[in-house]
Amino acid sequence: MPTLAGSPDELGEIGHPTEDRTELLRLEERLPPLLSVIAGMVDLTGFFTLGNIFTAHVTGNLVVAAAAAVRGGPWNLAQALAIPVFMLAVAVAWLVARASSLRGAALTRLLLMIQFLLLAAVLVFSVTTAPSSNPHGLMAGIAVMIAVCAMAFQYALMRLALPKVVSTAVMTGNLTNTVLSLMEMSSPQQHLMTVDRGRLKRSLRLLIGFLVGCLVAAVAISMLGDWAWSIPTVLAAVAIVVR
């Protein structure tokens, strides 16, 4: 009996062709560790070269800005601006996804391409203007905002295209899940929570990836200066072609 177009035999569980669903499953497995390395590199490179501003952990900027406001210390305008800029970039990512009408793997590629272009912009801007020479200056502030936008697109990518994937940048949640899962697995008593060994494995991979990204970025900054942005940019290009 012939299969009707659009029937469950031809479509994946989320309404995509089975072939696209297979590719999406591969991306969910292979892409997050690479993105966690990129997030670690971008966060540390931005922090050390662009005025101690977190480009991936926006919550850190919120805490530092609030602390400065309470204690009356020097106000870092770029640090405060990073929060609304991040929100605006996430909103733009949603608009791009809506306008493109893409889903799954195709939307993943599109958002990865935008992240790559933004990181490439940070690289070009940094090597031409040397913002690290004045980390609290205007050029550093511009570079930070572009980097924040790049990470906003990575966050949006996780929610819009790969919602089942563990966060690649919010390491507090991954660390909490890892510790609790290990405690449950080592306890002979009745479990307090369900231990998902697959999720534990993924969380560990992302924790290690983020740490590796930070370590590589630290070495790159000491050796390459502003050119350290070239490594996360190259990795972002690699992420686009991951199969």
Side-chain angles (χ1 to χ4, degrees):
M1 180 177 178
T3 303
L4 296 177
S7 69
D9 291 333
E10 287 186 337
L11 300 181
E13 62 183 69
I14 56 175
H16 302 295
T18 303
E19 188 174 317
D20 182 68
R21 179 59 183 165
T22 301
E23 182 181 4
L24 188 62
L25 289 172
R26 292 192 185 119
L27 289 175
E28 289 175 350
E29 176 68 21
R30 300 172 184 175
L31 197 57
L34 177 57
L35 292 181
S36 68
V37 174
I38 294 172
M41 294 199 68
V42 171
D43 211 27
L44 190 135
T45 304
F47 186 83
F48 276 111
T49 66
L50 301 176
N52 297 334
I53 297 176
F54 297 102
T55 50
H57 286 82
V58 181
T59 308
N61 296 322
L62 182 61
V63 171
V64 174
V70 169
R71 71 187 180 197
W75 183 259
N76 190 331
L77 179 60
Q79 201 159 47
L81 283 177
I83 301 164
V85 167
F86 181 89
M87 296 170 62
L88 179 61
V90 170
V92 171
W94 183 89
L95 291 172
V96 169
R98 174 68 71 182
S100 69
S101 298
L102 298 176
R103 298 290 185 274
L107 178 58
T108 300
R109 305 281 179 211
L110 174 60
L111 297 180
L112 285 173
M113 175 63 73
I114 297 175
Q115 178 187 242
F116 163 72
L117 292 175
L118 288 168
L119 288 177
V122 178
L123 170 62
V124 173
F125 188 83
S126 295
V127 299
T128 55
T129 65
S132 60
S133 61
N134 183 14
H136 298 285
L138 176 61
M139 295 297 103
I142 294 174
V144 162
M145 295 308 132
I146 303 174
V148 166
C149 289
M151 295 314 303
F153 268 82
Q154 185 179 125
Y155 272 90
L157 162 67
M158 294 294 104
R159 298 296 298 156
L160 295 173
L162 303 173
K164 295 182 180 180
V165 170
V166 180
S167 174
T168 55
V170 184
M171 291 299 113
T172 305
N174 292 335
L175 185 59
T176 301
N177 178 66
T178 298
V179 173
L180 290 178
S181 296
L182 291 174
M183 292 300 292
E184 288 285 4
M185 292 169 61
S186 63
S187 174
Q189 300 178 355
Q190 183 178 0
H191 287 178
L192 298 175
M193 56 177 277
T194 301
V195 177
D196 185 339
R197 293 179 181 270
R199 184 177 178 85
L200 172 59
K201 180 180 178 181
R202 292 190 294 271
S203 295
L204 281 171
R205 289 169 62 192
L206 297 185
L207 282 169
I208 294 171
F210 192 88
L211 178 60
V212 168
C214 290
L215 294 175
V216 172
V219 174
I221 292 168
S222 64
M223 298 179 63
L224 303 175
D226 289 313
W227 279 97
W229 287 104
S230 62
I231 303 179
T233 302
V234 170
L235 293 180
V238 171
I240 298 173
V241 299
V242 166
R243 288 291 185 270

